[in-house]
């Protein structure tokens, strides 16, 4: 089974529009030789515009969030049509920072996911357990509950869905999950997807959490991993490119 591979930069709240444009200008002159790997940049909202202007074919644009309503009195929010107008193709949903810092609940994530798919964007759905949940043996229950809730009402035939397994305790901590832990979690995700009626073997499942140029090759040796969602190490052109080069 060959699944699509992804190398995705989540810049979080980093990079002004001019910094984003500079990144793309430096990055796009590199040899993006591997057509099997989709490169996606997810800048903060204002930076989407300048990044879009500098993009070349082979690099796609993603947003870090979106609202589930189409328009109206929702101060501070952004709609799917606004993102599509900027040639955005992807949207990160359910990121642990949205869940834990902004208290976004499963119900909201589900509404956003349904909206995103309905409007022809592709969700990158993030799931993952906290350290306490892992240490109390609840990883599988958490993943099951997050997938169950987020995918409620979603057509199981959809091919436009990417899952990112990001253990909360590995995000921004320099602490990567072990290869066995990741392989197990990814197998669990596929099993849950299949139980929900989706084709768990076909959906790409990415890993995120302290991925960097030093560990990317080893992580990429796990068959279960279909690519990465990268935070800190995606902020510099060279380290993001080195991670891209770890794909075989
Ligand atoms: P880090 O790569 O900085 O750990 O962040 C991971 C992440 O949250 C990507 O969405």
């Amino acid at each position: 089974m060959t699944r699509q591979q992804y190398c995705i930069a989540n810049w979080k709240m980093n990079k002004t529009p001019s910094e984003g444009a500079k990144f793309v200008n430096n990055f796009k002159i590199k040899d993006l030789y591997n057509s099997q790997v989709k490169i996606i940049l997810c800048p903060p909202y204002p930076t989407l515009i300048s990044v879009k202007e500098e993009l070349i074919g082979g690099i796609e644009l993603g947003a870090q969030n979106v609202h589930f309503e189409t328009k109206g009195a929702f101060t501070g929010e952004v709609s799917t049509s606004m993102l599509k107008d900027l040639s955005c193709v992807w949207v990160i949903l359910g990121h642990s920072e949205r869940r834990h810092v902004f208290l976004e609940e499963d119900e909201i994530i589900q509404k956003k996911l349904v909206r995103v798919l309905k409007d022809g964007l592709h969700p990158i759905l993030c799931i993952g357990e906290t350290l306490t949940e892992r240490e109390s043996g609840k990883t599988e229950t958490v993943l099951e509950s997050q997938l169950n809730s987020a995918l409620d009402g979603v057509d199981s035939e959809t091919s436009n869905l990417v899952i990112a397994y990001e253990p909360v305790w590995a995000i921004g901590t320099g602490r990567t999950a072990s290869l066995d832990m990741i392989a197990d979690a990814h197998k669990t995700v596929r099993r849950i997807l299949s139980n929900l009626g989706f084709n768990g073997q076909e959906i790409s499942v990415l890993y995120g959490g302290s991925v960097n140029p030093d560990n990317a090759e080893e992580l990429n040796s796990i068959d279960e991993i279909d690519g990465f969602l990268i935070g800190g190490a995606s902020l510099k052109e060279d380290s993001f490119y080195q991670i891209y080069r770890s794909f075989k």
Side-chain angles (χ1 to χ4, degrees), residues 9 14-15 43 46 50 84 97 149 153 160 162 167 169 173 175 183 185 189 191 195 242:
N14 293 291
K15 293 200 187 293
S50 65
K84 283 166 67 176
E97 286 143 23
S149 309
N160 295 330
V162 172
W169 48 273
T173 57
R175 191 176 163 187
V189 168
R191 195 175 60 246
N195 290 344
Q242 280 176 52

Side-chain angles (χ1 to χ4, degrees), residues 2-6 35-39 90 162 202-206 226-227:
T2 344
R3 289 179 293 259
Q4 177 66 53
Q5 305 270 301
Y6 294 88
S35 58
Q36 307 300 314
V37 180
K38 210 181 263 290
I39 301 171
W90 300 87
V162 172
E202 270 182 15
I203 294 176
S204 295
V205 183
L206 320 185
D226 303 316

Side-chain angles (χ1 to χ4, degrees), residues 10 12 95 166 170-172 209-211 229-232:
N10 175 9
K12 308 190 178 185
H95 192 278
E166 300 204 302
I171 295 177
S210 297
V211 177
L229 182 55
I230 309 144

Side-chain angles (χ1 to χ4, degrees), residues 11 15-28 47 49-54 237:
W11 287 348
K15 293 200 187 293
T16 61
S18 49
E19 288 165 348
K22 192 165 157 220
F23 178 105
V24 182
N25 277 321
N26 290 334
F27 188 76
K28 70 185 178 189
T47 304
I49 301 166
S50 65
V51 165
K52 178 211 157 187
E53 279 164 3
E54 303 301 334
E237 300 86 336

Side-chain angles (χ1 to χ4, degrees), residues 86-159:
L86 286 175
S87 313
C88 238
V89 181
W90 300 87
V91 185
I92 298 174
L93 292 176
H95 192 278
S96 83
E97 286 143 23
R98 300 291 327 162
R99 292 179 192 263
H100 298 287
V101 183
F102 300 100
L103 307 181
E104 210 168 274
E105 291 180 349
D106 283 330
E107 190 191 339
I108 301 293
I109 297 163
Q110 185 266 351
K111 283 186 179 176
K112 291 183 174 187
L113 198 126
V114 168
R115 166 61 57 203
V116 158
L117 285 170
K118 184 159 183 250
D119 292 349
L121 289 162
H122 302 182
I124 301 159
L125 173 65
C126 303
I127 53 172
E129 80 287 357
T130 62
L131 190 57
T132 317
E133 288 163 343
R134 172 159 287 273
E135 286 176 347
S136 51
K138 293 202 184 116
T139 300
E140 183 163 347
T141 316
V142 170
L143 298 180
E144 188 157 25
S145 152
Q146 290 174 340
L147 283 169
N148 228 331
S149 309
L151 297 175
D152 187 27
V154 171
D155 179 4
S156 60
E157 299 293 315
T158 186
S159 53

